[in-house]
Amino acid sequence: MMRGRRKSSEALADLAGQEEALTDVAAIREVVGLWKPQRVRLVTGVVLSVVALGCGLALMRGAGLRYSGAVTGALVVGSSALAVLGVCRVVFRYAERLYAHGAMFRALADLRVWFFRRLAGGAAAGLGFRRAGELLSRLVSDIEALDGLYLRVLLPAVAACVILPVLWFALARYDVPLASAVVLLFLVSCFVVPVTAMRISRQEGGVQLQALGRLRVGVLDLVSGIREIRAFGSEERMLGRVREADEELMRCQAALAWRMALADGVSRLCGYGAVVLLLLAVTGTGFSVLPVVPAVGLIFLVLAGFESVSSLTRAGMLSGMMGAAARRVVAAAGPEERRVRAGGGALLPAPEETDIRFDSVTFRWREDGPKVLDRLSLDIPAGSRVVILGPSGAGKSSLAALLLKVVSPEGGRILLGGADLASVSDVSVRQRVAWLSQATHLFDDTIRANLLLGRPDASEDDLWRALDDAAVGDVVRELPQGLDTWLGEGGVRVSGGQGRRIALARTLLSGAPVLLLDEPATGLDSQTEMEFLATLNRVAEGRTVILIAHRLTGVEKPDYVWKISEGQAILVS
Amino acid sequence: MSDTKAAIRLWTKAQMRLGFRAGSPVILISMVSALLGAGQMWCLASVLGPVLARTMAGGGAEPEAGMADGVPLWGVAGFAVCALLRVVAGIVSEGLAARAGEVARRRLRRDVMGRVVAHGPALLRRSHSGAFAALIVDRIEAADGYFSRWVPASVLWMAIPALLLVCAFAVQPFAALILLVCGAAVPVCQAVFGIGAAVASRNQFLAMTRLQARFLDRIRGIATIVLAGRAEDEARRLAEAASDLRVRTMKILRVAFLSSASIDVAMVVALIGIALADAHGVSGIQAMISAHPDHVAAPAAAVTRGMFVLLLVPEYFAPFRGLALAYQDRAHAQGLASSVLELPELAEREAGAPLQSVGPEGVSVAFEDVSFTWDPARGQALSDVSFAVPAGQALILSGVSGSGKSTVMELLLGFVRPGSGRVLFSGTDLRDIAPDSLARMTSWIGQRPVLFAGTLRENVLFARPEATEAELFTALRAAAVDRFLPSLPDGLDTPVGEGGFGLSGGQAQRVAIARAWLKDAPLLLLDEPTAHLDPATEADVFESLRRLAARRTVIMATHSGAAEAISGHRVVLSGGCVVRGSEV
């Protein structure tokens, strides 16, 4: 637990470094770039929205013209034209909404799948390996924040770009100074105010996010530390702490809400200001006289035009937050994976043999961090049972990460069946080496689905055999829904020991010739732990078993015991 | 199932009532703002009416320079003033709406946290602590819109149109009739499409939540997926799930958007209807003008009225739109309702013997035929367990995991009550002891002590914030925390816990011992305190524990051989029964 926390803060520091190298615009551009396959759909959505907007504007202007025209006796707009515009407005608005939402859902799916692939393929697999669970959750909420980019930011922005020239041309025909003044007000409303909102939200958003983070930490402390809190009778004190964090968040939010309301007000004032200008022109005050019949149409047009961009203030605020979210997401996804090695040759499949050899391996998690392994060498012959011992932090987990090719050594080589791991493809390494640790994740899915992750084509019998081998078959048989029992988030519906055994069953099912068990019995009581380790002696016949532990319990029957100390491996027996 | 639905409805209704209390200023100001809007439109029409009438009198000729004479410039000023006031009203109501959301979130958070704390650790057996954090932080945050938007909108969609209808009726009864009919058609259309849409939006919300949960789960377990070589598979399945969501959601949205299209239709019909009806009325005005070309006042007023109702149309339909936009917020609140209702109510203490305080000196503990069941499906966790520990002595509980050790601990801590039998502290039944008195009596050290976000000093002082510096240092020395202090960047003021400096398991356990030392309670409960430590550290920690245990009543659950450092009675549990008790 403690170690996981330290490593996740290191991972955070790593990410922060990559984040700084990115600008908001570059990050958003990269996200938008992902939508290329949906380009046609997204553009169609934009076009439809523009047409719907045009119909709406024309309808409002037409209604005004129709009335004023009738009064003055000049038929400017026919009733049928008005009806057609009305129908078009309704139909296009409906089509636009439907289409834009469809496109947005596709884009949303693309973004998630892209992120998953990148994270799976890149250095961030190490991130997951280092158990930065909270960090990953934050990234997921960042991705959710990006969902609104198209619908709530892009579409209103395009609408503004369309309305601007329409206003200009409609007004400049009569009076250029008037047109300039109205367009100026429009620019304030659809550009200056939203950009200000974006600035504010980027500043305040950061503060607000921190406050939210503090609240979250406070609540997590309150819930996960509930035993301590109850045992020490400090409920009121801890609740008070959370309330303080809550109040601080509320203060930030209230400040932001007032400023946004103000920005919104300014934007609306611009719209009304434009109408005042038109009225002055109609009465011939300050501007050359505007003929009244078109003026009525223009007033309707201006009212509708400003109304259509009123959502831009909010869009500005959202985009301020999205910039930061996009930056974090792009930074975490990391650069495109290089499939081809620097030497030029493609990666090879792993050889059949599974002798493992660490040859003078040096490794550190971060470039400026301390050396975890320092010219470490050790041998693990195929089919042998090896225990690797060492206190916490000695580099045992680093050894596992290296062998799984989650990270690469700074110096030295790791050989699998005589081939340098650096030249072997990740996938084939992981087909040879199956991994089980306390960080092994049980998915919020059925037991069956969790097991099938180990081998998708396993038969029902295979599943039961694996469960029995892991000594959890009887437990599963007793469950009312058997294999189809839902495990729940993080496997919370079964006990810790049972969950670990289900994870073991999954590992056994994979059929990999090398089992890499990184403190697999942590958190189990001694008897369960011994049974668990004894199970391993029985089921893993013929496979290489590498057990990483901080102590021997006595039931293991290792062929070799290595001890890691000061970055080196010493053969103990 | 229908019970839950009824409960959800009841809960949301209660929330809505509470929401109205904070939301009524918002509603009031929004109505004032709507009236100001009507004022704006009246001023606008008052300027345009006379000008139009004049143009009419001029036979539709192009206007001349002298046209502006007699046109009420007060209309322009009035429009500007109304606009200004309306903007101010808008800002105030938005700010107040944000505050209403704030009030509601504060209330909900306090309620939920109160329930979680009162119910205690037993809750964590059912759900992950992360799930509670998500409920208290994120889901309540998401419910903001329900109070800041939905609650006002649910009133305003009727109140504002009604208000404007009265204005329109006073000016032009026929146009008001058109507005009334079109406005009434909206809820009818909503009812026709809307029922489906309401169900739909709830389902969509659920589907969306499920997709998010799946994505989060897969991202959290990404190392497991990658190392099992299933990354490509999972990516494909993720894409399938998302596209499945899209197909289903779009089906729903097709209907849901119909309900907003119905607002569009109603508005367009009203707009065209009024424009045409007015145009017919205009021929009468024209007759008036041709009869008396010099008296433009009466026809001008008629034109103004027609213009006013036309301008009122968008204002009239805006609240309908506001309601449609706030619909999603309602779904969030319903989602929240089902989570909150899963939490147990704050239990009233059952009447009985008055609560007693037990003297802090020398606590003896006894279990008398205690049985306890967590889950009836899994049978009893403890059955007829009896043992006794005299004051100042130690008891070692051993047994495999699942034998009932932790249940004994939970009972001793008062987190759960025995199903039958009694737990006695110095002869007093645990259920008759006031909770704060119980808390004063006991110290507890678990398997993995929780370090709160804060400095190391705060974490130790957690046990007794009012302790003096000298007492603090005595505790630190006794727990051997002082041994690793020099290795911390800022000594006692090093931040630990979430986001802080990571302490090792042994170091964290020492912090817990220091806490217990500082608290100086007569009863010490130890729940496998060294389960996660390596042997060398374990021996070290036991050394500190032995010092702590001196002169106290100790009950320790353990499976470790090193526990022999503490001598005392031994009780072995198996399957919830005492199988062996021995004196050492």
Side-chain angles (χ1 to χ4, degrees):
Chain A
M1 199 72 186
M2 298 306 122
R3 196 178 39 178
R5 278 187 176 172
R6 189 172 66 228
K7 283 189 178 161
S8 74
S9 65
E10 276 173 18
L12 267 174
D14 282 355
L15 268 185
Q18 291 163 26
E19 242 178 81
E20 276 162 24
L22 265 170
T23 61
D24 285 9
V25 178
I28 288 194
R29 195 177 298 152
E30 174 136 15
V31 170
V32 172
L34 288 179
W35 295 344
K36 257 186 205 143
Q38 314 297 350
R39 196 166 27 189
V40 176
R41 285 199 176 82
L42 293 170
V43 169
T44 311
V46 169
V47 170
L48 278 173
S49 96
V50 167
V51 173
L53 178 71
C55 288
L57 293 181
L59 177 69
M60 282 304 283
R61 182 166 173 268
L65 277 179
R66 166 81 190 146
Y67 181 70
S68 55
V71 169
T72 52
L75 190 67
V76 190
V77 177
S79 325
S80 51
L82 218 52
V84 168
L85 278 176
V87 171
C88 284
R89 148 131 187 124
V90 172
V91 169
F92 278 110
R93 182 97 185 90
Y94 179 77
E96 174 234 331
R97 279 198 174 158
L98 209 59
Y99 207 86
H101 275 82
M104 185 270 294
F105 274 112
R106 283 174 200 271
L108 170 158
D110 282 358
L111 182 63
R112 278 164 177 61
V113 173
W114 166 83
F115 185 70
F116 181 85
R117 286 220 166 95
R118 271 292 183 86
L119 209 55
L127 219 156
F129 193 77
R130 290 152 78 180
R131 299 173 50 203
E134 292 312 311
L135 172 65
L136 292 172
S137 311
R138 204 191 72 189
L139 286 171
V140 169
S141 59
D142 281 338
I143 288 184
E144 285 166 23
L146 288 174
D147 288 348
L149 186 58
Y150 174 68
L151 272 183
R152 299 212 220 150
V153 178
L154 221 59
L155 284 186
V158 170
C161 294
V162 171
I163 296 171
L164 188 71
V166 168
L167 281 181
W168 173 259
F169 286 115
L171 286 162
R173 269 170 43 200
Y174 301 101
D175 189 13
V176 172
L178 179 66
S180 313
V182 170
V183 163
L184 202 68
L185 284 171
F186 188 77
L187 275 176
V188 171
S189 170
C190 78
F191 182 74
V192 177
V193 171
V195 167
T196 312
M198 191 176 88
R199 289 245 170 84
I200 293 173
S201 83
R202 206 183 304 160
Q203 284 164 12
E204 300 284 314
V207 179
Q208 194 174 316
L209 218 62
Q210 275 173 7
L212 191 67
R214 268 194 293 275
L215 175 66
R216 197 185 303 278
V217 168
V219 168
L220 262 175
D221 268 359
L222 180 79
V223 179
S224 56
I226 188 85
R227 283 161 193 285
E228 265 90 351
I229 291 167
R230 282 280 294 259
F232 285 95
S234 57
E235 288 94 336
E236 274 316 306
R237 238 181 319 135
M238 293 307 280
L239 278 175
R241 254 175 80 162
V242 177
R243 272 185 215 135
E244 243 170 67
D246 196 20
E247 289 307 316
E248 200 192 320
L249 175 68
M250 302 263 186
R251 263 199 302 282
C252 291
Q253 285 172 334
L256 188 62
W258 281 108
R259 292 171 84 168
M260 284 302 146
L262 208 63
D264 227 16
V266 170
S267 162
R268 291 196 329 162
L269 210 54
C270 288
Y272 298 143
V275 174
V276 170
L277 289 182
L278 280 169
L279 282 180
L280 288 176
V282 168
T283 57
T285 324
F287 297 94
S288 53
V289 176
L290 188 63
V292 71
V293 175
V296 173
L298 286 174
I299 286 174
F300 274 82
L301 178 72
V302 165
L303 278 175
F306 275 83
E307 176 67 33
S308 319
V309 295
S310 61
S311 64
L312 268 175
T313 313
R314 194 144 291 276
M317 188 183 92
L318 281 175
S319 62
M321 293 173 179
M322 279 173 194
R327 224 170 46 205
R328 282 193 291 267
V329 166
V330 171
E336 191 96 52
E337 191 193 0
R338 278 154 298 173
R339 289 265 170 215
V340 182
R341 279 196 22 87
L347 294 174
L348 306 164
E352 286 302 314
E353 289 88 65
T354 51
D355 292 315
I356 294 165
R357 185 191 177 96
F358 279 68
D359 187 6
S360 171
V361 170
T362 302
F363 173 73
R364 51 182 123 201
W365 283 102
R366 297 179 61 190
E367 269 173 38
D368 53 346
K371 276 185 193 168
V372 182
L373 303 180
D374 189 7
R375 279 165 297 149
L376 171 140
S377 298
L378 63 83
D379 275 303
I380 302 172
S384 64
R385 300 168 172 279
V386 178
V387 175
I388 297 173
L389 290 177
S392 308
K396 299 181 312 255
S397 293
S398 312
L399 212 66
L402 283 164
L403 187 53
L404 288 161
K405 236 192 136 185
V406 170
V407 291
S408 8
E410 188 178 298
R413 309 182 295 161
I414 302 158
L415 302 172
L416 176 66
D420 190 341
L421 268 195
S423 66
V424 178
S425 81
D426 302 5
V427 173
S428 73
V429 169
R430 290 161 196 167
Q431 277 166 359
R432 297 283 187 281
V433 185
W435 172 72
L436 176 68
S437 91
Q438 51 181 324
T440 302
H441 190 80
L442 285 176
F443 292 93
D444 188 5
D445 214 324
T446 59
I447 293 179
R448 184 193 302 278
N450 265 289
L451 290 175
L452 287 177
L453 192 74
R455 181 147 57 96
D457 56 348
S459 69
E460 186 95 2
D461 288 344
D462 293 338
L463 297 185
W464 284 113
R465 197 172 314 122
L467 285 171
D468 285 333
D469 285 347
V472 73
D474 290 336
V475 176
V476 176
R477 251 176 229 111
E478 275 178 27
L479 293 169
Q481 284 164 302
L483 280 174
D484 295 312
T485 305
W486 203 265
L487 271 181
E489 185 196 359
V492 288
R493 304 244 168 107
V494 291
S495 77
Q498 290 162 357
R500 204 65 56 81
R501 281 171 183 279
I502 291 172
L504 172 66
R506 177 165 70 196
T507 311
L508 293 176
L509 201 60
S510 75
V514 180
L515 296 184
L516 177 58
L517 311 167
D518 186 358
E519 308 202 23
T522 307
L524 305 182
D525 64 73
S526 62
Q527 187 153 354
T528 318
E529 179 181 6
M530 287 192 192
E531 284 168 11
F532 189 86
L533 294 171
T535 311
L536 286 177
N537 287 335
R538 211 169 45 247
V539 296
E541 288 298 332
R543 303 195 202 192
T544 309
V545 177
I546 306 169
L547 178 67
I548 294 175
H550 58 245
R551 61 175 177 192
L552 282 175
T553 61
V555 288
E556 303 92 347
K557 298 197 185 102
D559 301 325
Y560 306 97
V561 177
W562 291 86
K563 196 170 163 65
I564 309 267
S565 174
E566 290 169 9
Q568 309 242 331
I570 305 145
L571 188 61
V572 181
S573 68
Chain B
M1 196 61 205
S2 62
D3 269 6
T4 8
K5 269 186 199 158
I8 288 175
R9 219 175 4 249
L10 220 66
W11 188 86
T12 31
K13 222 176 229 172
Q15 290 301 324
M16 188 141 187
R17 260 198 306 281
L18 289 166
F20 276 133
R21 220 171 287 163
S24 49
V26 180
I27 294 172
L28 222 68
I29 292 179
S30 298
M31 285 170 71
V32 170
S33 165
L35 279 180
L36 284 169
Q40 267 182 307
M41 296 312 154
W42 178 253
C43 294
L44 195 53
S46 306
V47 177
L48 294 177
V51 183
L52 274 173
R54 229 162 246 265
T55 313
M56 205 188 297
E62 283 300 302
E64 294 140 31
M67 275 292 300
D69 298 339
V71 169
L73 270 176
W74 65 262
V76 182
F79 180 87
V81 170
C82 282
L84 207 62
L85 288 176
R86 196 178 181 197
V87 165
V88 171
I91 293 172
V92 171
S93 82
E94 232 176 278
L96 287 178
R99 181 160 304 160
E102 210 175 282
V103 168
R105 277 181 292 145
R106 186 178 295 131
R107 176 168 48 74
L108 284 170
R109 273 206 186 112
R110 288 186 184 184
D111 174 39
V112 172
M113 285 193 302
R115 288 201 209 188
V116 168
V117 169
H119 205 74
L123 268 185
L124 290 181
R125 295 181 84 94
R126 294 208 314 235
S127 284
H128 200 257
S129 59
F132 286 110
L135 167 64
I136 295 171
V137 179
D138 303 313
R139 305 202 75 164
I140 290 183
E141 203 63 20
D144 182 73
Y146 180 80
F147 298 96
S148 60
R149 285 188 293 270
W150 169 262
V151 167
S154 68
V155 174
L156 291 174
W157 79 276
M158 303 227 323
I160 290 181
L163 216 57
L164 296 182
L165 213 54
V166 172
C167 297
F169 188 80
V171 173
Q172 196 120 330
F174 183 69
L177 194 67
I178 294 180
L179 280 179
L180 178 66
V181 171
C182 291
V186 172
V188 173
C189 291
Q190 300 278 13
V192 174
F193 305 116
I195 296 166
V199 175
S201 76
R202 204 173 313 155
N203 286 347
Q204 180 221 353
F205 180 68
L206 251 172
M208 196 69 199
T209 315
R210 249 181 239 139
L211 179 74
Q212 307 287 37
R214 184 192 174 100
F215 183 57
L216 178 61
D217 187 47
R218 294 319 192 251
I219 290 288
R220 274 187 173 160
I222 195 157
T224 305
I225 292 173
V226 170
L227 296 178
R230 299 254 80 83
E232 211 28 57
D233 243 29
E234 274 301 319
R236 234 187 347 262
R237 274 204 251 167
L238 204 60
E240 276 165 24
S243 108
D244 181 51
L245 169 77
R246 177 176 54 83
V247 171
R248 271 187 303 154
T249 313
M250 290 316 291
K251 235 183 249 167
I252 288 155
L253 288 183
R254 242 169 261 161
V255 182
F257 288 155
L258 272 186
S259 82
S260 46
S262 72
I263 300 176
D264 280 352
V265 171
M267 183 176 124
V268 167
V269 169
L271 203 61
I272 295 176
I274 291 175
L276 292 184
D278 276 352
H280 283 299
V282 158
S283 47
I285 303 173
Q286 277 170 343
M288 225 151 56
I289 289 176
S290 41
H292 309 282
D294 296 330
H295 293 84
V296 287
V303 175
T304 300
R305 287 198 295 273
M307 186 63 80
F308 171 67
V309 283
L310 202 57
L311 283 164
L312 217 50
V313 174
E315 301 284 330
Y316 180 81
F317 285 95
F320 291 111
R321 252 179 249 290
L323 186 74
L325 282 178
Y327 225 88
Q328 195 142 345
D329 294 319
R330 208 176 140 221
H332 278 288
Q334 277 161 342
L336 176 66
S338 57
S339 307
V340 170
L341 288 170
E342 274 173 22
L343 291 174
E345 287 284 337
L346 272 179
E348 296 287 316
R349 209 188 79 84
E350 62 266 45
L355 293 181
Q356 296 174 24
S357 292
V358 170
E361 284 83 33
V363 176
S364 66
V365 177
F367 265 50
E368 286 183 354
D369 300 320
V370 172
S371 298
F372 183 81
T373 308
W374 286 108
D375 176 1
R378 293 203 203 152
Q380 284 188 326
L382 291 181
S383 54
D384 297 327
V385 169
S386 300
F387 58 79
V389 196
Q393 299 212 13
L395 175 91
I396 317 291
L397 275 174
S398 50
V400 299
S401 89
S403 61
K405 295 193 303 275
S406 323
T407 310
V408 170
M409 283 293 161
E410 305 274 274
L411 284 163
L412 284 168
L413 284 163
F415 294 163
V416 291
R417 296 275 163 83
S420 67
R422 300 195 300 164
V423 178
L424 302 172
F425 277 20
S426 295
T428 310
D429 194 324
L430 198 59
R431 66 183 84 208
D432 296 333
I433 300 176
D436 56 331
S437 157
L438 182 65
R440 264 202 307 281
M441 256 192 297
T442 46
S443 282
W444 169 80
I445 297 176
Q447 302 185 3
R448 292 170 190 269
V450 170
L451 296 180
F452 299 103
T455 62
L456 185 59
R457 179 194 301 273
E458 286 165 0
N459 264 287
V460 177
L461 282 177
F462 167 78
R464 192 150 63 86
E466 71 280 6
T468 65
E469 200 75 347
E471 288 169 323
L472 173 66
F473 277 96
T474 312
L476 291 178
R477 250 194 315 281
V481 171
D482 57 345
R483 262 193 260 163
F484 67 83
L485 271 187
S487 67
L488 300 181
D490 292 311
L492 259 185
D493 295 311
T494 306
V496 294
E498 183 68 41
F501 192 85
L503 295 185
S504 74
Q507 290 169 338
Q509 206 53 277
R510 289 179 188 290
V511 173
I513 294 172
R515 278 179 187 162
W517 193 276
L518 202 58
K519 191 174 176 192
D520 197 22
L523 173 62
L524 179 60
L525 303 174
L526 305 171
D527 190 2
E528 308 208 30
T530 58
H532 301 291
L533 305 180
D534 57 73
T537 317
E538 181 175 33
D540 249 20
V541 166
F542 263 120
E543 183 51 35
S544 300
L545 282 176
R546 206 172 49 78
R547 255 176 290 159
L548 179 64
R551 289 174 297 104
R552 290 174 220 272
T553 313
V554 179
I555 297 180
M556 173 162 75
T558 187
H559 60 257
S560 173
E564 273 149 26
I566 294 173
S567 56
H569 304 271
R570 255 159 221 281
V571 166
V572 181
L573 286 174
S574 176
C577 302
V578 176
V579 290
R580 189 153 40 90
S582 70
E583 300 260 340
V584 174

